[in-house]
Amino acid sequence: MSFTVFILAIAIINLVVGFASASYLGWGPRSWDEIDLALNDPQTVSAPVEAPCPYRSDLDLQRLIDDGQRKLRKLSSTKTVLEDPLQTAYIKATNQLDSLEIGFECIHASLLADELTETPRDWPRNLDAIKTDLGRDIDKAMGELEHWADLLNGSQQETFNPFHFGLCNELSRIQNALPSISSREQLNATDRSELTEWCQSSYEDLRRITWQVRSLMRELITESRPALEWEPQLLRDRSHQMQSIEAFAADRILNPTGLSNYFVARCRIDQALELYPRTSHLLFRIASERLLEQANPYLPSHWLAVPLPQGEWLIRGDAYSLDNFVAQVDEVRQRLRAINLRVGESNFQLTSSWIITLDSPSFETEDLLVALKQAVHEARSYGQDRTFICEKGHPVPVLAVECDPVPDTINL
């Protein structure tokens, strides 16, 4: 009996030492909580409904909403008068899809802010935004997409139409799924929760179909116009004036891997999947932009850096070797970890995980983006706040570089 206990004690000690060593070297989960997280599907992990709201006040959420409204005004005031009607239609259509998504994010944030008040004081305004503003944005998006489709050739229209119809059907379904509580003068907690859940799930459905539509639109614009003829307006995101996903596609065409080795990194804020149900996607859209602004000074000036919605980034650049690229990116990761994000009186300490791969001309842009996104999901099984190399489609964690970043605070 004593011998069995002795063997069991040795086994437990070995497990503890192995876990501590792996954590120190940067391999495997860093905490017991991350072990539990690693056992769950990363695409379904989300904050439980009863999780406390991380904001200290509804006024903090209002700061984000004001920023979102500024983005909407910027998109609506964009003047697009180009010589090429196809590129003009492309910019107008993608602007309207952006407006639709940001508008949804503002509504969700407003509903979360309303939940922090004792009485639903913003209910009439939220309802009007859902029934009027959202309906208007949907109609505008459909109109701009129809105009874009009319400028395509016959075979391109046949390719695009099923996705266009799919988006129309999804938007109709979202509207029809609106909870039937609009006629009530007062809402109870269940009503408010039901409306918030509708907004959150509807936004996720919208994002899936709009990403497919926009991916196809990028492929068709690449097929229709040489990258050298792309208008500068395509290469800047109209909502924040940083580089756009179209610039990423153009850079891969104009600067292919050849004499120089080009590498691509895709990253995501680790906490996005868990926190956005209680913080709104708007937080991570704005955070990704502000954090990338902080990262830019530490990247070579000729590298391309693109903030994506929902707290993601793309970085593409040349380097002497993979190790050199990894070292520069991992230093940025650690610097971002040292930044405290402040939204009014609320504070957020966010980390990020990065997937790096050698850019290969055998990959179409959209296929590369999908492969990297899947690798980011898989990387969560190793724990968060790490840099990975993508080998044969799977993430391999690497040792962190030596870096001693100075803590900083930025206000969103």
Side-chain angles (χ1 to χ4, degrees), residues 46-55 61 108 111-113 115-116 193 196-197 200 272-281 283-284 348:
S46 61
V49 175
E50 65 274 9
C53 180
Y55 294 104
L61 270 163
H108 185 210
L111 292 172
L112 291 174
E115 288 185 3
L116 292 177
S193 177
T196 303
E197 290 179 12
Q200 175 190 320
L273 287 178
E274 289 82 26
L275 287 183
Y276 76 74
R278 306 305 302 163
T279 59
S280 85
H281 291 275
L283 169 67
F284 295 100
F348 296 89

Side-chain angles (χ1 to χ4, degrees), residues 87 92 94 117 145 178 308 339 377 380:
Q87 294 187 61
K92 289 183 176 180
T94 52
T117 63
L145 285 171
L178 178 66
L308 300 177
I339 294 175
H377 278 301
R380 291 174 62 85

Side-chain angles (χ1 to χ4, degrees), residues 27-78:
W27 291 73
R30 293 184 178 177
S31 68
W32 299 112
D33 290 337
E34 290 188 12
I35 291 178
D36 180 67
L37 180 62
L39 298 177
N40 295 286
D41 182 356
Q43 300 189 52
T44 60
V45 174
S46 61
V49 175
E50 65 274 9
C53 180
Y55 294 104
R56 299 190 64 178
S57 167
D58 60 302
L59 297 178
D60 296 346
L61 270 163
Q62 190 58 51
R63 290 174 180 266
L64 291 178
I65 297 169
D66 292 342
D67 204 330
Q69 294 294 339
R70 283 192 290 271
K71 290 180 178 296
L72 291 175
R73 289 193 294 271
K74 187 178 294 185
L75 286 171
S76 64
S77 63
T78 299

